[in-house]
Amino acid sequence: MKFFQEKIYQFTNCGNGADPLWCMGSSCIVAADDRIFVSGWDTIPGVPLLNCARWTLFQKKVSEWEIVRKDTEKTREPSPICALDGGKLFLSANPFMLEQEAMQGVCLPAVYQFEHPDYSKPAKTIIPHFSEPVVFYEHSYRNFSADRGNSELLLFHNRDYDRAYWSLLDKDGRCISCDKLYWPWGYDYQEPQRIRLCYSNIQLKNRAAYVFGTSDIPEPNSEWRKYKREITGRMWDFDFRRVFFSFTPDITKEPFTYWVEISGREKTAGNAWNCDLFVDDNGITHVLWTEKSCDERLRQRFFPDEPLIYSLKYARVKKQKILDQKEIFSFQEGIKFPQGIEKMNLCRGKFHITENGKIFIFGLISGTDNNKKTVAENWLIEIDSTGNIKSKKIVNFQEPFTFIHSAGIRNGTKPSDTLHIYGYTTKANNEMWYGSIECQG
């Protein structure tokens, strides 16, 4: 197995609550035919919170990464990118519209279209259409996906805690269709409410659209909320405990189905977070998500017998039916973690599809050792079409990745024997790295 790794750039963390991988349901790395691009994130000196960042477009050269464009507007979140045939590159942006001194306020969604072969030329600006007049803000939690086979793009922007607006675009940025999607309803909470979904994975395939996201609402359990405020001193705390799935067979003609809850850790204040999805040619949706069994801060008081377990889960979904579920890997507190990890922070996974249709998962775990040094372990895992593991190999990067985006079919990257990765590593100092793995070697 051949693999490669190198540093792309270093950023300054401005403390606005976002970072270069904040749009984690989408991707900031794409393979556009024979070129690799990364949408970077740069702090603007002297600009106050929250909209104090801008996107930068990097292109991989033979011996270095080169900035081909840099935004002139202010924003809060990173900008996911997609590719279509002919080397067309599209970047989703959310520029801030108010004066520099304003902390937050109105933003104007935009998509920038770059053309092959010279991506350094000014991009075409596309202003997406939505189904009704709506004002967006800097907390967009937006999602961006491409159907390369049909030369179409799908853009989602969250609005408030109850809905997202979407716009389907053709290869020239013209709106084909647009509407809104309401989030699932939490009937079982102490105070019933909409369950806002964020960081969603979306895929567009032959006009069918698929959404897989995690709950992101203020802590709904009043007793837990009060206790966590005693611990943290914060008046706010958000719940990421349930993952939901919805789809439409034709986004231009049919509404999204009602939400299916794939998994949840509500009983023990745990964590469930979507990682990835892809739809095969039989219409089966394959989903990956991560779980933590409980909130260790609350365990001693509320559920002292609950073991602390971190796991990566897999399921197949056909329409609104969960066909089966499997566990890709799992680690329990009190049992030795890999790579000298004493305290685990997270585990994650991303799908990768090769030219001949093989399915791989890039899996990672990260945490700290006895000296509170960041450590991690990365694997390349091949599975069959039902999630059974065929092989699992450690990828011995010099600096293992701790959190990533990958170039995949959801953002218009062609199926490939090479997996392209962009993310954080065990290297400190806010460095962003690139990695590649030859999956067939």
Side-chain angles (χ1 to χ4, degrees), residues 257-268:
T257 61
Y258 193 73
W259 296 93
V260 175
E261 184 168 4
I262 301 297
S263 187
R265 303 296 311 196
E266 200 68 39
K267 291 182 179 179
T268 54

Side-chain angles (χ1 to χ4, degrees), residues 272-404:
W273 202 304
N274 60 291
C275 292
D276 206 357
L277 73 79
F278 85 92
V279 182
D280 66 25
D281 292 336
N282 297 315
I284 295 175
T285 305
H286 304 252
V287 295
L288 276 179
W289 74 98
T290 184
E291 289 188 15
K292 185 172 74 168
S293 60
C294 65
D295 187 330
E296 59 269 43
R297 299 171 301 173
L298 308 182
R299 182 170 52 167
Q300 183 174 354
R301 179 166 176 175
F302 296 100
F303 20 81
D305 297 326
E306 183 71 21
L308 181 58
I309 301 172
Y310 293 81
S311 54
L312 182 68
K313 303 288 187 71
Y314 163 94
R316 296 187 306 148
V317 184
K318 180 72 171 181
K319 296 184 178 179
Q320 290 180 280
K321 181 180 179 181
I322 300 173
L323 301 179
D324 48 38
Q325 294 191 28
K326 291 184 173 67
E327 195 168 77
I328 302 300
F329 55 75
S330 181
F331 300 98
Q332 182 174 336
E333 181 187 50
I335 300 174
K336 185 176 175 60
F337 291 142
Q339 200 62 29
I341 293 176
E342 177 67 21
K343 182 182 184 302
M344 190 174 291
N345 292 332
L346 58 81
C347 62
R348 286 291 190 272
K350 290 288 186 183
F351 287 119
H352 181 72
I353 313 301
T354 65
E355 293 177 22
N356 62 359
K358 289 186 176 182
I359 307 170
F360 287 88
I361 295 171
F362 180 79
L364 66 85
I365 60 169
S366 68
T368 53
D369 63 14
N370 287 326
N371 298 315
K372 297 185 178 181
K373 178 184 176 183
T374 299
V375 288
E377 188 162 299
N378 301 159
W379 304 288
L380 186 66
I381 304 166
E382 185 180 357
I383 62 172
D384 66 17
S385 60
T386 63
N388 294 313
I389 294 177
K390 300 177 68 175
S391 67
K392 180 181 178 181
K393 300 176 182 178
I394 292 178
V395 186
N396 289 308
F397 286 119
Q398 180 179 353
E399 300 291 343
F401 284 94
T402 59
F403 200 86
I404 68 157

Side-chain angles (χ1 to χ4, degrees), residues 158-302:
N158 276 20
R159 178 66 170 86
D160 295 330
Y161 278 77
D162 63 344
R163 65 198 184 277
Y165 288 85
W166 58 261
S167 184
L168 178 67
L169 309 173
D170 69 12
K171 62 183 177 61
D172 296 312
R174 293 184 290 262
C175 180
I176 301 169
S177 184
C178 55
D179 206 340
K180 55 182 176 287
L181 174 61
Y182 282 98
W183 302 134
W185 187 259
Y187 295 98
D188 48 347
Y189 291 133
Q190 291 174 348
E191 296 183 12
Q193 60 185 286
R194 289 280 182 187
I195 306 173
R196 180 182 66 165
L197 303 184
C198 292
Y199 315 108
S200 300
N201 308 123
I202 65 172
Q203 184 172 350
L204 178 67
K205 185 172 184 175
N206 299 324
R207 294 277 172 94
Y210 307 81
V211 182
F212 180 46
T214 189
S215 62
D216 185 359
I217 62 174
E219 171 59 67
N221 184 301
S222 59
E223 190 175 8
W224 295 349
R225 183 168 63 245
K226 180 181 178 181
Y227 188 68
K228 284 193 281 186
R229 286 176 180 175
E230 293 174 6
I231 297 171
T232 66
R234 295 195 307 255
M235 292 304 294
W236 54 269
D237 182 83
F238 286 86
D239 143 9
F240 308 101
R241 292 203 287 262
R242 306 170 73 173
V243 286
F244 292 87
F245 169 80
S246 179
F247 84 103
T248 170
D250 188 333
I251 196 169
T252 66
K253 297 178 180 178
E254 297 187 42
F256 281 86
T257 61
Y258 193 73
W259 296 93
V260 175
E261 184 168 4
I262 301 297
S263 187
R265 303 296 311 196
E266 200 68 39
K267 291 182 179 179
T268 54
N271 180 280
W273 202 304
N274 60 291
C275 292
D276 206 357
L277 73 79
F278 85 92
V279 182
D280 66 25
D281 292 336
N282 297 315
I284 295 175
T285 305
H286 304 252
V287 295
L288 276 179
W289 74 98
T290 184
E291 289 188 15
K292 185 172 74 168
S293 60
C294 65
D295 187 330
E296 59 269 43
R297 299 171 301 173
L298 308 182
R299 182 170 52 167
Q300 183 174 354
R301 179 166 176 175
F302 296 100

Side-chain angles (χ1 to χ4, degrees), residues 112-128:
Y112 296 112
Q113 178 180 328
F114 300 86
E115 296 285 353
H116 180 277
D118 188 358
Y119 297 91
S120 65
K121 291 183 178 179
K124 173 185 174 181
T125 301
I126 300 163
I127 304 300

